[in-house]
Structures are given as C-alpha cells and as structure tokens.
Amino acid sequence: MAEKRGSPITRISFFCLFLTTTVMFVLTSRSRPAVFDPKSFPTEKLLTDFNNGGSQTSNQSNVESSDRSNRAIPVDNGREEGGFKLSCNGNLKEPLKIYMYDLDPEFHFGLLGWKPQGNQIWPDIRTTIPSYPGALNSQHSIEYWLTLDLLASEFSENPNTRQAIWVKNSSEADLIFVPFFSFLSYNRHSKVIPPSKKSKNTELQTKLVKFLRNQKEWKVSGGRNHVVLAHHPNSMLDARMQLWPAIFVLSDFGRYPINIANVEKDVIAPYKHLIKRYVNDSSDFDSRKTLLFFQGAIYRKDGGFARQELFYLLKDEKDVHFSFGSVQNNGIRKASEGMHSSKFCLNIAGDTPSSNRLFDAIASHCVPVIISDEIELPYEDILDYSEFCIFVRASDAMKKGFLINRIRSITKDKWTRMWETLKQVEPLFEFQYPSKEGDAIQMIWQSLAHKVPGVKMKINKSRRYGRFVPRTRRGLRITPAPKSF
C-alpha cells in the first residue's frame, strides 16, 4: 500500500504559518517596556499621553526624538461591552468598596486634638477638617489622607468617578479599613508617663488588637482583607506580630521579618515630600549648576554606613554638594533650593532602605540616584523607575571613582529625557485634599485594589473544609459560608 503523504500545498502552508509566527514573536520580544504597563493599570485613566498628541512641555524642542519620549502615562482604552464600561484590562470600571470601622476618635482624629460632640465618631469635613502637623510629622501622614478621602466619598456627587468609596455594610466591601493613626500615636505617645506602666501608644495598640479580634469581619477572613497603616518603621511595633495576616501599608520592609510583611501581601506607599514643589519648572541641564546633591544625616546606624563612606569619596569633588543637614535653621528651605538647582540627587539607604529624600527629589525634578539595595518602591508593578532614576549597587558606589564617573557619563540628552519624565510622574506622589485623579491617594487605593483578587482567593481556600451539619431527613447539608469577609 502506498504511503500517505500530505500535499505540497499543505506543507508549504504550515511552513509559512510557522515562519510568520516566529518573526512576530521575535519582533514582540524586542520591544522595550514603557514607563507604565497599561495592562496592569486597574481601573483609571491617568493624566495624558506623555508627549503624545498636544501635551508637550516647553523644553521638548530641545529633547532628542526617540521612542522613549513617547511613553509614560497610560490613557484609558476602555470600551463598551454589554452596557458596562470596561477598563483597559477588561475589569468592570467601578470603585474599590471600603468598609471602615467606626473606631473611637482616640484612635484617629482625637490624636490631632479634635473634640467630638456627643456620640460623634467622625468630624463633619464639610465644615471642619482637623489640621495635621507639618515638617517631619507630615512625611508619614498617609493615614490622615486616606481616611479623609474615605469620609469625602460619602458626599461625592458621582461615586463611580472615585478610586475608593466608603460602604456602610461590610458584606459589600472589598477591603476593611482600620483607621488608626499609628504614626501620630507613636510620635506623640511613646513615652511612659508615671504612674502608668505602659505608654499610651502601647495601650492603644493593645485595645486595637482586642477590638479587631472580636469583630466578625476579622473572624470570618482571618484578618486577610483588613488594611492596617504602619508607614513609619516604628509604628505598630507591639501589634504588628499579632495583626500580620492583614495588608500593611508601609514605607519599606526594613524592620519586618519576611513572614510578617512582604511585597506579595502588603503595599508600599510613598512618603509625603517635605521640600517645596518646583512649580512651573523652566530649568534645564545647563541652568542646574550642581551636578550631584545630598543634604541630610551622614552618620547612620544599620544599613546607613554607605552615607559615611560616600561622604569621604565625594566631599572634594567639584560641583558636588554633600553636607549634613536637618529641618532646623531653615533646613527644608535650603534643601529645596539645593535640589531645584541640581541635576542629580542622592537617595542613600539610612536606618532603613527608604527615605523621604527620593520623593523630595521627584518633587524637585532632580534625577534621583538610588543607592539602596533592599529598597521597595511604590507602584512598581506599573511604573518603570529606570526611566527617571539611576540605580547603583552599594558595593559599586563605594568603589573609588565609580559613582562620580557614572554620573558624569550621563549625557545632556539622556538627563533631559529623565527630567521630562519626572515632571510627568510627579503628580503620582502628591498628597492633597480633596484628592485628585492620579495623585498619591488614588494610586495607593489602586495598589490596594491589586491585592483584592489574591485576598479573596486565600479566604475562599480557607473555607474548603468547612464543618458539616449533622444529617437530617433531607440528607446532608453544609453550613453556608458567611457572605461578609
């Protein structure tokens, strides 16, 4: 019997299909990722295309044209399907639903000196907004801004335009928000005042843990869907080991064991910058006379030894400013002036991997030079920091001549592209009330929204082996899973 073989046309067709697929794969793999990954952006269109269309900066004519200059902020490519508005990743476009515990004011605005009237839990922010202390206190103030934003959502004319809304029924919520102003508690009440044996900060944490563990929302979810704010490295020191299943909002993981806090479970949020924003920045490469700027504490413990080493390596370099500085003696004003007139600003690990200096540099449009091997950065799942930051390993930075030669090798064109990108991403790190589309508050809500599917999966898995109800005449029944979590 003759052997059956495919026709020549069939073989040629398969060969052409294979060749086409291979070429497309190679071309796709060679494309460079954008500053943002639009597919991972959850629900919101943000700002405008970077140099796409009519949105251009005054200095763009001086910038070398390249593909890199056409990437940064994603726009919403939503489409209508079945009567619903879809975001670019296909999710229904609706706000994150947050249930917020009505904690006693001593846990939140009472720490700011606000006095409730009668049984009042929250200030009426339509008439009174308790002020937050400035200077160094403000850098860890995310608890204040997020709580204000939730309160404001109750009075929003169009809630669906917001990233997060406050719901009064926990069974409707995606996440449970714990409104404890942990930094203020630590900052103002950590000292033990006799005859008390414990500080007020410790007492508040103890009361909070007891409260949470008695709530049905915590019991049902094991705390996995709770959001706990502990942005300062020393916040929640007494409670963190007991509340570890929750989602922590942190500045970094420097003082946490990996089983208590990690990038998979928790959210990294930016500091609120201290220096003055560079509004209407018309500077350029040549007008910023200082090449490299650092002003702050030089001698630090833990991982901050690199600061001291770099001080001795750089202190005699021309056009480098490396000096001690603090908030005293107009320190913030001097730092603002220095960063606004510098091309590059050093962000070196101190007592912990992160510092507010990175966000001061972004607000100044001074290209950050990050020397912190263990740093985790806000929104890095959708934001490519390499487009506007320089990263140098600590071991390399402390080699004589390495860092300064690396900085001097960056061309005017490359610096200008990074400077342009800094101006585009700056709003993503801005805290304000009322919150605006694409600012730090909305970005933090979006980062929390990214955690929701994983949280729900863990909760659902925990229900696999629920208790069986005793046999009845109609057969076996399984106790239904609670609706709230």
Side-chain angles (χ1 to χ4, degrees):
M1 181 181 294
E3 182 181 357
K4 292 183 179 181
R5 302 179 62 185
S7 67
I9 295 178
T10 302
R11 293 197 302 273
I12 292 172
S13 298
F14 275 112
F15 175 78
C16 290
L17 178 62
F18 171 79
L19 183 61
T20 302
T21 304
T22 303
V23 171
M24 292 298 293
F25 174 81
V26 171
L27 291 175
T28 302
S29 64
R30 289 170 62 88
S31 63
R32 197 172 186 273
V35 180
F36 286 90
D37 178 4
K39 292 183 179 179
S40 64
F41 208 77
T43 59
E44 196 71 89
K45 71 178 182 178
L46 194 57
L47 306 180
T48 58
D49 277 325
F50 181 39
N51 296 336
N52 186 21
S55 178
Q56 299 185 7
T57 60
S58 59
N59 289 64
Q60 185 181 347
S61 60
N62 297 327
V63 184
E64 178 183 275
S65 175
S66 72
D67 289 340
R68 292 178 54 158
S69 65
N70 293 323
R71 310 183 184 103
I73 314 297
V75 295
D76 182 69
N77 295 318
R79 60 192 184 280
E80 299 288 341
E81 284 192 10
F84 293 97
K85 177 69 173 176
L86 297 183
S87 65
C88 59
N89 66 353
N91 293 334
L92 290 178
K93 193 178 180 73
E94 59 181 20
L96 188 67
K97 295 175 181 176
I98 304 289
Y99 176 77
M100 180 164 61
Y101 286 123
D102 283 330
L103 290 179
D104 188 279
E106 69 173 338
F107 288 96
H108 44 83
F109 288 101
L111 291 167
L112 289 169
W114 175 70
K115 304 295 183 183
Q117 302 296 319
N119 296 324
Q120 191 179 10
I121 298 293
W122 304 105
D124 185 349
I125 60 173
R126 293 170 295 181
T127 59
T128 302
I129 300 176
S131 60
Y132 198 91
L136 286 175
N137 292 285
S138 66
Q139 61 183 334
H140 297 292
S141 57
I142 64 165
E143 51 212 18
Y144 172 77
W145 302 105
L146 292 175
T147 304
L148 273 183
D149 192 57
L150 282 182
L151 294 175
S153 71
E154 187 176 20
F155 310 111
S156 176
E157 294 180 359
N158 187 2
N160 287 329
T161 63
R162 306 182 65 87
Q163 288 299 324
I165 58 172
W166 181 17
V167 296
K168 301 303 179 68
N169 189 334
S170 62
S171 66
E172 300 174 1
D174 298 307
L175 296 172
I176 312 295
F177 187 81
V178 181
F180 177 38
F181 290 6
S182 59
F183 168 67
L184 281 178
S185 178
Y186 162 75
N187 184 255
R188 295 185 167 187
H189 301 291
S190 288
K191 292 183 179 180
V192 178
I193 301 177
S196 297
K197 300 293 178 99
K198 296 180 179 180
S199 68
K200 182 179 178 180
N201 179 43
T202 298
E203 291 175 350
L204 285 174
Q205 291 180 61
T206 301
K207 290 171 68 174
L208 180 66
V209 170
K210 183 178 180 180
F211 169 85
L212 291 176
R213 288 187 166 180
N214 284 329
Q215 303 307 303
K216 62 181 177 64
E217 290 83 7
W218 184 277
K219 293 177 181 178
V220 169
S221 69
R224 295 178 181 89
N225 60 351
H226 284 54
V227 178
V228 174
L229 308 172
H231 197 258
H232 188 278
N234 292 332
S235 296
M236 303 292 285
L237 272 176
D238 300 289
R240 63 179 60 167
M241 304 297 283
Q242 301 173 73
L243 301 180
W244 66 267
I247 301 171
F248 291 139
V249 181
L250 309 171
S251 57
D252 59 50
F253 300 120
R255 295 181 182 171
Y256 285 80
I258 194 170
N259 61 320
I260 300 299
N262 55 75
V263 72
E264 178 185 358
K265 178 178 76 72
D266 304 303
V267 166
I268 296 297
Y271 293 66
K272 186 179 187 301
H273 63 80
L274 298 179
I275 60 91
K276 185 178 179 181
R277 292 180 63 194
Y278 201 159
V279 180
N280 300 322
D281 180 5
S282 60
S283 65
D284 58 20
F285 185 84
D286 296 320
S287 67
R288 290 181 175 242
K289 300 300 183 182
T290 301
L291 175 68
L292 187 61
F293 181 90
F294 178 89
Q295 184 168 303
I298 295 175
Y299 303 99
R300 308 297 289 180
K301 55 182 180 293
D302 298 332
F305 67 92
R307 292 189 184 184
Q308 182 176 347
E309 294 296 322
L310 287 170
F311 170 71
Y312 291 115
L313 287 172
L314 298 173
K315 63 184 180 69
D316 295 325
E317 291 286 343
K318 67 174 185 178
D319 58 17
V320 171
H321 176 95
F322 200 122
S323 70
F324 174 81
S326 69
V327 297
Q328 299 176 348
N329 299 320
N330 295 316
I332 294 177
R333 180 182 60 80
K334 293 176 182 177
S336 297
E337 294 172 353
M339 287 185 163
H340 290 182
S341 60
S342 299
K343 298 178 179 67
F344 299 93
C345 288
L346 278 168
N347 180 71
I348 315 169
D351 296 342
T352 60
S354 69
S355 81
N356 188 62
R357 201 164 281 101
L358 168 62
F359 307 99
D360 284 345
I362 292 173
S364 304
H365 312 150
C366 179
V367 175
V369 179
I370 299 176
I371 305 173
S372 180
D373 297 348
E374 304 300 322
I375 195 170
E376 295 290 348
L377 299 166
Y379 336 134
E380 200 166 10
D381 52 344
I382 61 172
L383 189 61
D384 183 0
Y385 280 81
S386 69
E387 295 286 345
F388 56 90
C389 296
I390 303 296
F391 291 85
V392 180
R393 292 184 179 88
S395 58
D396 289 332
M398 288 184 285
K399 296 174 183 175
K400 186 175 181 179
F402 183 94
L403 179 60
I404 194 65
N405 290 335
R406 173 80 173 88
I407 299 303
R408 293 194 191 282
S409 70
I410 297 172
T411 65
K412 178 178 179 179
D413 286 343
K414 181 176 180 179
W415 180 90
T416 305
R417 288 194 298 268
M418 300 181 87
W419 173 75
E420 293 279 6
T421 307
L422 276 171
K423 292 194 292 181
Q424 294 292 327
V425 302
E426 178 199 353
L428 306 179
F429 303 94
E430 197 65 33
F431 290 89
Q432 57 201 334
Y433 180 82
S435 176
K436 296 180 181 179
E437 182 179 13
D439 67 8
I441 300 164
Q442 303 307 313
M443 292 297 290
I444 293 170
W445 288 131
Q446 291 188 33
S447 295
L448 286 166
H450 289 178
K451 302 297 180 181
V452 171
V455 166
K456 290 185 176 181
M457 182 180 70
K458 290 176 182 177
I459 293 173
N460 290 339
K461 281 187 173 184
S462 71
R463 295 171 175 168
R464 286 179 176 180
Y465 305 107
R467 291 189 302 111
F468 280 89
V469 174
R471 186 183 299 274
T472 67
R473 292 181 182 179
R474 296 185 179 181
L476 290 175
R477 291 188 299 108
I478 301 177
T479 302
K483 293 182 179 180
S484 63
F485 54 90

